[in-house]
Amino acid sequence: MTIAIVGVSGAVGQEFLRVLDERNFPVDELALFGSSRSTGRSYLFRGKSYTVKELQHNDDFKGIDIAFVSAGAGTSKEFAETITKHGTVMIDNSSAFRMDEDVPLVVPEVNPEDALIRPRGIIANPNCSTIQMVVALKVLEQLSPIKRIHVSTYQASSGAGASAMAELVKQYEQILKGETPVVEKFAYQLAYNLIPHIDVFTDNGYTKEEMKMHHETRKIMHSDMEVSATCVRVPVLRAHSEVTWVETERPISVEEARQAFTKAEGIVLMDEPERKEYPMPLFVAGKDPVYVGRIRKDIANPNGLVFWTVSDQIKKGAALNAVQIAEYLLKVSSVG
């Protein structure tokens, strides 16, 4: 397999290198691409040094089987035709194509077969907060069709990039020194604070991040389920947390849900409140699964269930999900 990573110098690009290595993904040749700022940098992969090329409109992608792209929506839109014109499968981590009807939006634990129909040669990776939620929702949907979802997210600073993580750490240092903290990445100081605002606001009062969860969930699940989200930025470095209220057609008991989550692919059940065991970002950062806990009946809805999830949004919410898509394609011989 000949693999390319576009945007390799970013947080997700670096995660691609780690995940490909961890999972022993078959890489015979590797091509790295980036902006003019990144051109010439070298990165080690399996003991060999690879130099970053500048992404340009040329034939550099000829002979490349799969390109993992994480360079922003603008770059993805501009270079999609260049990347795919010789038959390369483009697995795109941006929001550029997620809601396009002719581009599959895929989470391998939920709808892997959608990746097989890709008329433009593009497969979209969903939003990180959507990914961890639908991995859990799929389990409950198999028990009883889901009618309605309310979700509140608690999203780590790294969701806004490596520089946002650095800013959070710097803010704590500045505050402890009695200095005024620098605020550049977010609307307000994040240290010692929560910000109920991720992405820009839309006309209906929801943010784009919240509307992504609404639209993407329905597309991935092939359902008209109702989805309402509130997305909050929290002073955590890595791993997003979510609390989800689900209304199903019939009541699902807590024990039934626990048993289903225990058997589910890509999920680790951590739900022993009497022992104070539940998922937390502190212990989930850097790990592959979606962790589920705090499962309980919704006392305001007889057909409702409430649960808590935590997942590393750079790993499962981005690089790992994309690599799992590629693994599925190889498994069914749909590439190369």
Side-chain angles (χ1 to χ4, degrees):
M1 293 294 294
T2 301
I3 301 299
I5 300 174
V6 179
V8 68
S9 298
V12 176
Q14 289 295 291
E15 196 70 18
F16 274 127
L17 291 173
R18 285 189 288 270
V19 171
L20 288 167
D21 193 32
E22 285 174 4
R23 297 178 72 84
N24 294 315
F25 190 89
V27 179
D28 299 309
E29 296 291 338
L30 179 65
L32 305 181
F33 296 92
S35 66
S36 56
R37 296 190 309 275
S38 301
T39 302
R41 292 184 189 176
S42 294
Y43 294 101
L44 278 176
F45 180 74
R46 295 177 182 167
K48 185 177 176 181
S49 180
Y50 294 88
T51 302
V52 180
K53 294 182 180 181
E54 184 174 359
L55 183 63
Q56 295 180 315
H57 292 292
N58 54 26
D59 290 328
D60 278 347
F61 287 86
K62 191 171 185 179
I64 289 175
D65 297 298
I66 296 173
F68 297 106
V69 182
S70 186
T75 299
S76 290
K77 288 179 180 178
E78 179 185 348
F79 285 91
E81 188 175 341
T82 296
I83 292 169
T84 59
K85 68 180 178 180
H86 295 294
T88 301
V89 176
M90 175 179 174
I91 303 179
D92 185 56
N93 196 57
S94 79
S95 61
F97 309 107
R98 288 174 184 159
M99 296 313 299
D100 290 8
E101 288 186 8
D102 54 357
V103 174
L105 185 66
V106 177
V107 177
E109 295 91 340
V110 181
N111 62 331
E113 62 284 347
D114 287 2
L116 303 179
I117 303 173
R118 45 179 194 276
R120 293 162 63 184
I122 304 169
I123 302 168
N125 219 33
N127 187 39
C128 53
S129 49
T130 303
I131 288 174
Q132 76 179 70
M133 181 174 71
V134 298
V135 169
L137 290 180
K138 175 70 172 182
V139 178
L140 300 180
E141 175 78 1
Q142 291 175 326
L143 300 177
S144 176
I146 295 170
K147 296 171 61 178
R148 188 171 292 108
I149 299 157
H150 294 276
V151 58
S152 290
T153 72
Y154 306 87
Q155 297 182 217
S157 60
S158 51
S163 60
M165 295 174 70
E167 179 170 298
L168 177 60
V169 173
K170 186 67 175 177
Q171 284 179 354
Y172 280 118
E173 293 173 350
Q174 291 170 323
I175 291 167
L176 289 172
K177 292 176 182 176
E179 301 170 359
T180 301
V182 172
V183 177
E184 294 176 345
K185 294 297 295 184
F186 303 110
Y188 296 93
Q189 169 191 317
L190 186 57
Y192 300 109
N193 192 25
L194 304 175
I195 305 173
H197 170 195
I198 298 176
D199 214 324
V200 299
F201 283 96
T202 64
D203 291 341
N204 65 0
Y206 286 77
T207 64
K208 281 182 68 177
E209 182 82 357
E210 292 158 353
M211 293 310 299
K212 286 175 189 175
M213 295 191 74
H214 170 84
H215 293 301
E216 291 179 18
T217 299
R218 291 157 64 97
K219 180 174 179 178
I220 295 163
M221 302 287 289
H222 298 287
S223 169
D224 60 358
M225 60 181 66
E226 299 173 9
V227 185
S228 178
T230 299
C231 295
V232 182
R233 188 72 70 189
V234 298
V236 169
L237 285 177
R238 184 161 167 164
H240 288 352
S241 305
E242 299 176 0
V243 58
T244 307
W245 292 259
V246 175
E247 180 184 344
T248 49
E249 287 189 3
R250 69 162 179 87
I252 297 174
S253 71
V254 171
E255 186 55 35
E256 186 180 8
R258 281 197 180 118
Q259 289 180 5
F261 281 130
T262 299
K263 299 173 184 175
E265 179 187 359
I267 285 178
V268 171
L269 182 67
M270 187 181 291
D271 189 27
E272 296 191 44
E274 68 281 356
R275 297 175 59 184
K276 299 180 183 177
E277 289 189 3
Y278 31 71
M280 290 181 286
L282 181 64
F283 305 113
V284 167
K287 297 184 178 178
D288 291 356
V290 174
Y291 289 77
V292 177
R294 295 295 319 276
I295 304 169
R296 57 204 188 274
K297 291 295 293 183
D298 184 349
I299 57 175
N301 186 334
N303 283 24
L305 204 65
V306 188
F307 59 92
W308 170 258
T309 59
V310 184
S311 185
D312 187 318
Q313 90 290 349
I314 300 176
K315 202 163 196 184
K316 177 53 183 169
L320 174 59
N321 195 79
V323 172
Q324 287 174 315
I325 292 170
E327 289 173 342
Y328 175 78
L329 296 180
L330 292 183
K331 181 180 177 182
V332 298
S333 300
S334 180
V335 69

